[in-house]
Amino acid sequence: MVLVGTKAGIHAVDEEQPHSQIEVVHLVQHATGWWAVDPQGRIWHDDDHVADAPDGVRINCLQPTADGVWLGADSARLFLLQDGVIVEDQFFADAPGRETWHTPWGGPADVRSLAHEPDGALFVNVHVGGILRYDNTGLVPTVPIESDVHQVVSHPGRAAAVMAATAWGLAQSSNGHDFEFRTEGFTARYCRAVAVWEDTVLVSASRGPRGGGATVYRGPLQGGPLQPCNGGLPDEFEGNVDTHCLFAGPDAFFVGNGGNVWASGDRGETWEKVAAGLPPITCLA
């Protein structure tokens, strides 16, 4: 079941009534059920309120793992939720290169997205601060900070395969350390969202932070030009197809924008609208 997080509840694309009334900042499905965070910093697990963010902390994203739920926060902070207790990760608080993290408007950097690799490594997307790989050997910066990363994802079936939507295009790694940037086929290369399943990757791109020419592209995982997904999607989306608003799974790919959701059962070649008139969409899971 694909869940749609919105500013007025959680919806399922195949259900008429809201799945939950929680206003969602970020939503993730996991073997243990779904996890969500709301604008007040409350952490939810299957409709149960399980924890609150520490005072003065804004949670932006979640990543459940076998060890607990990682929480990415404002001021480039990383927390771990275990047994109802939230503790800041001190290794990340002293991460290499932290003194260079920044935002274009002069505010503190954020942890914007998280990805957990099958081999256990955690990838932390700092906006603006690149991507850090975090495993039992420590923290290692990967892509250049200036690439301005907006979302990082790991391949669910291939260890060390990691992709990121960046202002420089689609960043891709086959070893979890070294990234190459793919730009061939883009009309504009400012990327905000990315999703991957098996041998196909989806990425959204536009002319900049406020959108303009916003399009979803598809391409083979192994490389080559990316192609716009024209078969049933809008020629141009309103604003951007934002971080966490692409989803890829075994049966279909999904795009969320505004109050609408589109689905493709053929890896992005053709699309149909499967939900409309929803409250503003914040994420898909």
Side-chain angles (χ1 to χ4, degrees), residues 29 41 48 55 58 72-73 80 83 100 144 165 168 172 177 188 190 206 248:
Q29 292 204 70
D48 293 325
D55 290 343
R58 184 186 73 245
L80 184 62
D83 300 323
T100 64
W168 290 359
Q172 189 166 324
H177 291 278
Y190 179 89
S206 72

Side-chain angles (χ1 to χ4, degrees), residues 20-224:
S20 171
Q21 299 295 332
I22 300 165
E23 181 180 358
V24 172
V25 172
H26 188 215
L27 171 71
V28 179
Q29 292 204 70
H30 187 255
T32 59
W34 60 261
W35 293 84
V37 60
D38 68 20
Q40 290 72 46
R42 294 173 295 195
I43 310 299
W44 299 83
H45 182 214
D46 287 345
D47 267 331
D48 293 325
H49 173 209
V50 296
D52 292 304
D55 290 343
V57 173
R58 184 186 73 245
I59 303 297
N60 300 320
C61 54
L62 313 95
Q63 180 58 64
T65 71
D67 297 323
V69 181
W70 289 101
L71 309 171
D74 64 334
S75 299
R77 289 175 285 185
L78 183 67
F79 296 82
L80 184 62
L81 168 62
Q82 290 179 310
D83 300 323
V85 178
I86 296 177
V87 177
E88 184 171 3
D89 186 89
Q90 291 304 310
F91 287 105
F92 192 77
D94 297 322
R98 173 176 283 273
E99 68 280 359
T100 64
W101 299 348
H102 64 280
T103 56
W105 54 90
D110 279 353
V111 173
R112 185 181 178 105
S113 69
L114 299 165
H116 190 245
E117 203 181 26
D119 71 358
L122 182 71
F123 289 84
V124 186
N125 158 208
V126 178
H127 185 251
V128 176
I131 301 171
L132 290 93
R133 177 189 172 99
Y134 192 4
D135 59 21
N136 57 10
T137 66
L139 281 157
V140 180
T142 58
V143 300
I145 289 174
E146 294 79 11
S147 62
D148 189 5
V149 179
H150 301 119
Q151 186 179 359
V152 62
V153 298
S154 62
H155 195 293
R158 301 187 187 185
V162 183
M163 280 126 278
T166 84
W168 290 359
L170 172 64
Q172 189 166 324
S173 174
S174 60
N175 63 12
H177 291 278
D178 305 302
F179 284 78
E180 296 182 351
F181 288 84
R182 298 173 61 182
T183 59
E184 188 177 359
F186 283 131
T187 301
R189 65 181 189 180
Y190 179 89
C191 299
R192 288 288 279 265
V194 60
V196 62
W197 190 266
E198 293 185 348
D199 60 355
T200 303
V201 59
L202 292 183
V203 62
S204 68
S206 72
R207 290 191 288 270
R210 292 177 177 81
T215 303
V216 174
Y217 294 81
R218 63 186 292 269
L221 185 64
Q222 66 268 25

